Amino acid sequence: AAGVIQSPRHLIKEKRETATLKCYPIPRHDTVYWYQQGPGQDPQFLISFYEKMQSDKGSIPDRFSAQQFSDYHSELNMSSLELGDSALYFCASSLIGLVGSTDTQYFGPGTRLTVL
Amino acid sequence: AQSVTQLGSHVSVSEGALVLLRCNYSSSVPPYLFWYVQYPNQGLQLLLKYTTGATLVKGINGFEAEFKKSETSFHLTKPSAHMSDAAEYFCAAFSGNTGKLIFGQGTTLQVKP
C-alpha cells in the first residue's frame, strides 16, 4: 500500500538559510499534519491542512510557513534557520472527510534537518 | 486541555517476559487513543488505536491495549517480548476537532537476551 512520502530524507543547512520540506500524502487522503520531533523528545504538532485550507496551528514559529497544494501535497517552508530548528520533521496524512472524524494518521519517514 | 502521560521513560525486560508500557490521559470527554512505535531513525508506525466500542484493542506484532475510563489509562501490553520489539513507544491522544495528536513523552523499551 502507498505510504506518506517525504523529501528530502536528510537536509543540512547553515544558520539563517532557508529550507523547504515536502510531503506527499497517501492517495485520497485530504488532511496533512506536520510535527517536529527534537532529539529525545516527543513529536510536537506544528500545523495541519484540510482540503488545502489551514485547519489548525500549534507551536509553529513565525519563521515557518506551510501550505497544501491542489494535488494535496504539502510543503513546510522554514526561513532564518536557527540551531534549535535541528530536528526530525514528520508529515502525517489522514482521511477526515468531515471535520471531527477519528481516522488514523499515517506518518511518513520524516526529514531530518540539521542546522550548522 | 488534553494531555498524555507515559510513566517510565525507559523499560527493560528480558526476552520472553511480559511487556507493560503505561499511558494515562486527561480529558473531560471520551478520548481517542493511539500507540505508535518508532524504530531508530524511522518514522512512527501505528500499533493500535481506540476510538469507541470494545475496550480491549488488539494491534500488530502481538500488542494489545485496554482502555480503562475509570483509571484514565490505556496501557500497552505484550505477553512475550522479542528482541525486535526494542524501540521507542509513544502513546497519543486525538486533540480537539481538527485531528492533531498530542503525544506522551515516549518510553524506550529495551529487550535483554
Side-chain angles (χ1 to χ4, degrees):
Chain A
V4 176
I5 297 171
Q6 290 187 247
S7 67
R9 293 292 308 278
H10 301 273
L11 191 58
I12 299 175
K13 291 287 185 178
E14 300 279 343
K15 281 195 306 185
R16 292 179 289 278
E17 286 191 321
T18 61
T20 297
L21 279 53
K22 297 184 178 183
C23 170
Y24 298 86
I26 292 172
R28 293 185 299 279
H29 279 194
D30 54 17
T31 306
V32 167
Y33 306 83
W34 286 96
Y35 294 85
Q36 177 191 58
Q37 185 180 29
Q41 298 180 11
D42 56 289
Q44 295 290 317
F45 171 74
L46 291 178
I47 195 168
S48 62
F49 293 88
Y50 167 67
E51 284 290 345
K52 293 154 280 183
M53 298 286 289
Q54 181 180 309
S55 55
D56 201 353
K57 194 172 183 180
S59 308
I60 183 169
D62 292 340
R63 300 177 289 106
F64 293 7
S65 65
Q67 57 182 322
Q68 186 179 30
F69 294 85
S70 58
D71 64 352
Y72 291 94
H73 95 272
S74 179
E75 295 184 2
L76 177 65
N77 298 292
M78 311 160 70
S79 63
S80 303
L81 287 170
E82 301 174 357
L83 296 178
D85 296 329
S86 295
L88 194 55
Y89 290 84
F90 287 111
C91 171
S93 75
S94 68
L95 177 62
I96 292 290
L98 295 174
V99 173
S101 167
T102 60
D103 204 66
T104 304
Q105 290 182 34
Y106 295 91
F107 283 76
T111 294
R112 183 169 297 282
L113 173 65
T114 302
V115 182
L116 302 176
Chain B
Q2 182 72 282
S3 67
V4 176
T5 303
Q6 291 182 240
L7 300 176
S9 58
H10 288 84
V11 170
S12 181
V13 300
S14 298
E15 191 173 19
L18 171 72
V19 175
L20 171 60
L21 305 182
R22 300 177 187 274
C23 173
N24 289 87
Y25 66 92
S26 66
S27 176
S28 60
V29 298
Y32 301 110
L33 298 162
F34 306 81
W35 275 100
Y36 284 88
V37 60
Q38 183 177 31
Y39 297 100
N41 299 313
Q42 294 189 27
L44 296 163
Q45 181 182 4
L46 180 71
L47 279 177
L48 49 81
K49 66 178 181 180
Y50 169 79
T51 54
T52 58
T55 56
L56 182 62
V57 181
K58 295 186 183 298
I60 62 170
N61 301 338
F63 284 93
E64 62 182 37
E66 186 171 11
F67 170 68
K68 291 187 177 180
K69 185 177 179 180
S70 61
E71 299 178 7
T72 60
S73 69
F74 190 57
H75 301 331
L76 181 71
T77 61
K78 182 174 181 177
S80 177
H82 293 168
M83 296 297 293
S84 60
D85 294 327
E88 185 83 9
Y89 291 80
F90 289 98
C91 182
F94 192 80
S95 177
N97 60 3
T98 58
K100 69 182 178 188
L101 289 173
I102 303 298
F103 287 87
Q105 302 88 333
T107 299
T108 301
L109 176 64
Q110 180 188 23
V111 182
K112 298 177 291 185

